[in-house]
Amino acid sequence: MQHRHAVMPLPQLMPLLLAGAIAPCPAPVKAQLDGLYRWHVAGQERTGPTEIKSQQGRFTPGLYQKLRRAYGLDPASGRFVDFDLFSGTQVSTFGAKVLGCTALSGGGLEARVAVQAGLRNRPSEAPQQLRYQLVRGPAGTWKIADIVYSHPAGFRLSSYLAELLGPKS
């Protein structure tokens, strides 16, 4: 009996190699992240400020309040969200794939997400790697507490928002 092995092109294989030893995410975590990206991709067609209120239940209360304040900033003030928080880029997001989860100390989870982004109808070849940190909410649902971006290494949504919303220097 002969076995056939599918050969995966390197750009598609890289996220799997980079992911390391991670387990599949629990269904509620995957549903949270898939829902966020469905909303995000659909919302790119709308003009005007990002309306985050419909997504409030996906985030911890503290992160949601900072996101709401950040998206409410007046660009004329010189302070505004200057990149796509859910891809870590300044281009369009086409979709995302939840690659898997690892446990964090304190009972949280870190979900690795490969985000396909690029210019209008041309996704870039290599997906952006984002690490979503989630904690259990009061009703047992998973809430997004932070996002860690791959570039620059260790760059976090929480520290970006703290700096953006902090006192002007």
Side-chain angles (χ1 to χ4, degrees), residues 20-26 99-102 110:
I22 58 176
C25 289
L99 300 174
C101 284
T102 53
E110 183 171 87

Side-chain angles (χ1 to χ4, degrees), residues 13 67 72 85 97 108 117 120 169:
L13 187 60
L67 286 167
L85 302 180
K97 180 171 177 45
R120 286 200 190 273
S169 49

Side-chain angles (χ1 to χ4, degrees), residues 132-148:
Y132 277 79
Q133 297 185 335
L134 297 103
V135 295
R136 251 189 222 281
T141 57
W142 289 96
K143 306 277 187 181
I144 299 164
D146 207 355
I147 303 172
V148 181

